[in-house]
Amino acid sequence: METKTTKEKKELTVEQQINRRNFISFAGFAVLAGSAFGGWRWLSNSPEETAGITAGAKAPLRRALNNTELIFRNFFSSNHLVKTYPKSRAAKHVRVNSDIGIESNKKFDPATWKLEIVKKGGEILQITLDELKKLPKTELIYDFKCVEGWDQISHWAGVKFIDLIEHYHLGEYTQMQYVGMETPDKAYYVGIDMPSAVHPQTILAYEVNDKPLPLGNGAPLRLIIPVKYGIKNLKRIGTITFSNTRPRDYWAEQGYDYYSGL
Ligand SMILES: Nc1nc2c(c(=O)[nH]1)N[C@H]1C(S)=C(S)[C@@H](COP(=O)(O)O)O[C@H]1N2
Ligand SMILES: [Mo]
């Protein structure tokens, strides 16, 4: 058999050989194109992820994105501290970037505001700003980064999230996977994975540059979470919730990365 095939090969004219090679490479191309098309059809026919939390990616794509997130989360540890700076490096005028849920045309009275923490069974713990100010105050000067491409070294002060948890005996809630925060009018909202929420540099800030927060920067209380991009640093916290599923997140719904870690 073998010798016969070799003999046959020898007998092919140059033109036949070229045709044969063309045929082989075309067949190879057809197989590749076919499988690419099949893959594309498979992806576009596959179901979308559960609606609502992110921007409706196909389920297999979302699985891949979530795996990427897991790799980053495994790298992340609460022992890793974000770089801090001396006060002299902090911006004197902290920019006001975006105002969803805190628009200046909305009536809001910081004096009657209370932080609301939703506990198991729906019970709501209400905490006033004065009560928060009695807890240990933590200052933080770090480089705040926005996904839009700017960053600014800024000086914040407030209560560490983990200090609040401990003071109000909410430790059991740190066993849950996520923290959700929303503005009082529910127009802006974020979901934060628990390890980032309890990170020692995550604070609920009520001061910037040693003065009470201006309304534009999120008075009376805003989230400062240096391990995340600006989008997660919710201004004017109304309610805090805990859950094992991802809380709704304003920018994730628009297609931004849910984790948004740095
Ligand atoms: N309530 C609310 N919080 C928000 C936003 C917003 O539009 N509304 N924008 C976020 C974004 S994109 C950034 S970069 C920071 C900006 O904070 P700053 O205005 O204090 O600089 O706030 C975050 N928190
Ligand atoms: Mo931002």
Side-chain angles (χ1 to χ4, degrees), residues 8-223:
E8 246 180 1
K9 234 183 207 166
K10 271 186 194 147
E11 280 162 8
L12 292 174
T13 64
V14 171
E15 202 180 334
Q16 278 171 324
Q17 283 177 23
I18 291 172
N19 280 342
R20 196 169 137 151
R21 236 175 279 146
N22 279 350
F23 175 76
I24 290 170
S25 57
F26 180 74
F29 170 75
V31 167
L32 269 181
S35 53
F37 176 69
W40 171 78
R41 247 199 3 198
W42 169 76
L43 190 58
S44 59
N45 289 340
S46 42
E48 285 196 357
E49 60 178 324
T50 322
I53 295 304
T54 32
K58 294 296 180 184
L61 258 189
R62 176 56 59 193
R63 273 199 296 276
L65 289 171
N66 287 354
N67 282 341
T68 317
E69 171 178 328
L70 273 183
I71 292 165
F72 278 99
R73 286 173 72 159
N74 290 339
F75 267 119
F76 181 90
S77 119
S78 63
N79 297 325
H80 171 81
L81 292 182
V82 167
K83 184 174 183 220
T84 56
Y85 296 82
K87 246 188 206 182
S88 58
R89 294 282 308 276
K92 296 284 168 289
H93 301 284
V94 174
R95 63 192 285 175
V96 171
N97 192 50
S98 164
D99 67 350
I100 305 158
I102 64 165
E103 296 92 337
S104 54
N105 60 359
K106 280 193 187 163
K107 271 194 236 129
F108 178 75
D109 180 8
T112 56
W113 170 92
K114 284 188 182 90
L115 174 65
E116 296 195 336
I117 301 183
V118 183
K119 302 190 5 176
K120 277 183 194 144
E123 188 200 333
I124 293 174
L125 172 65
Q126 292 196 325
I127 308 170
T128 65
L129 191 58
D130 284 341
E131 287 166 335
L132 284 171
K133 285 183 174 170
K134 284 183 195 133
L135 302 188
K137 180 157 136 186
T138 299
E139 292 192 45
L140 186 67
I141 301 151
Y142 80 106
D143 196 8
F144 185 106
K145 296 187 177 83
C146 168
V147 281
E148 289 167 305
W150 58 268
D151 65 289
Q152 184 177 52
I153 297 173
S154 42
H155 172 201
W156 309 90
V159 188
K160 263 193 216 180
F161 184 72
I162 190 65
D163 286 351
L164 174 91
I165 292 287
E166 278 164 12
H167 181 82
Y168 287 95
H169 309 290
L170 300 168
E172 61 174 307
Y173 293 93
T174 63
Q175 301 303 308
M176 300 186 87
Q177 290 189 46
Y178 291 98
V179 176
M181 295 192 186
E182 306 206 347
T183 52
D185 68 356
K186 315 241 173 275
Y188 196 82
Y189 36 91
V190 297
I192 310 278
D193 54 283
M194 190 58 74
S196 299
V198 301
H199 183 280
Q201 289 170 308
T202 297
I203 63 178
L204 305 185
Y206 48 76
E207 283 179 5
V208 63
N209 285 334
D210 294 315
K211 290 187 197 76
L213 277 187
L215 282 171
N217 295 115
L221 191 74
R222 65 98 46 95
L223 178 63

